[in-house]
Amino acid sequence: MAHPGLIRRQLRFLQLDEAADSKLLGETRELLESSIEDILDELYRHIHQQPELAALFTSDESKVRARRGQKRHWSELLFSGARGQSHLDMMQAAGQAHLRVGLETSPYLAGYCFVLNRFIARLVGRYGAEPAKLQSIVGALNRAAFLDMSFVIDSYIEAKNEDMRE
């Protein structure tokens, strides 16, 4: 598990300014939260067109649970501003859950890209006439997303290494 020093180094390397980035993302809250249901509809339609991914959902309950988790995840990622140990713990739990259900890193990253692209399209629609503002917001979104992905990927690697040790 990553320690606080590693978290600080990742924040610094990504040039993530928690206060400034949280403020920027906070300005988009209404736009992005109002879009999340439609984006998740698109994502899960896309997932269910991939037989190997659709097979990961063993019941309607598992679909509902995954979707609810995704909605909570995106809301917390974008608007909580928390980038410390609790965020890391949450992302490690997400990575472990993905491994438990058999979701590999490639489709995880592809799904992440799918959602980010739809968020960015909505941001362009809203801030396209303000390119400097748009660039700042997309930068904040990318920094938060890549920090998040790095924590999840680290948990995949950690779990795989643990399996190999056993």
Side-chain angles (χ1 to χ4, degrees), residues 87-125:
H87 181 77
L88 172 63
D89 293 343
M90 211 170 45
M91 296 307 92
Q92 287 185 318
Q96 291 165 356
H98 292 163
L99 277 174
R100 226 180 4 263
V101 300
L103 178 65
E104 294 293 330
T105 55
S106 293
Y108 162 75
L109 291 170
Y112 216 112
C113 181
F114 186 99
V115 172
L116 277 177
N117 284 337
R118 272 122 187 110
F119 277 147
I120 291 168
R122 281 157 175 85
L123 292 170
V124 168

Side-chain angles (χ1 to χ4, degrees), residues 31-44:
L31 172 66
L32 297 182
E33 281 192 337
S34 68
S35 303
I36 191 63
E37 289 295 336
D38 291 338
I39 291 170
L40 290 176
D41 285 345
E42 289 180 57
L43 173 64
Y44 283 94

Side-chain angles (χ1 to χ4, degrees), residues 3-12 14 16-26 73-91 112 139-151:
H3 54 82
L6 177 59
I7 296 168
R8 284 192 301 278
R9 282 196 306 272
Q10 286 178 290
L11 291 171
R12 191 173 50 247
L14 283 167
L16 195 150
D17 179 325
E18 292 182 74
D21 286 357
S22 292
K23 183 177 186 266
L24 282 167
L25 292 173
H73 170 84
W74 283 103
S75 184
E76 289 175 7
L77 168 72
L78 295 174
F79 310 118
S80 76
R83 306 282 182 247
Q85 188 65 45
S86 63
H87 181 77
L88 172 63
D89 293 343
M90 211 170 45
M91 296 307 92
Y112 216 112
L141 176 61
N142 280 335
R143 286 186 293 275
F146 276 79
L147 179 69
D148 183 64
M149 285 186 281
S150 73
F151 289 165

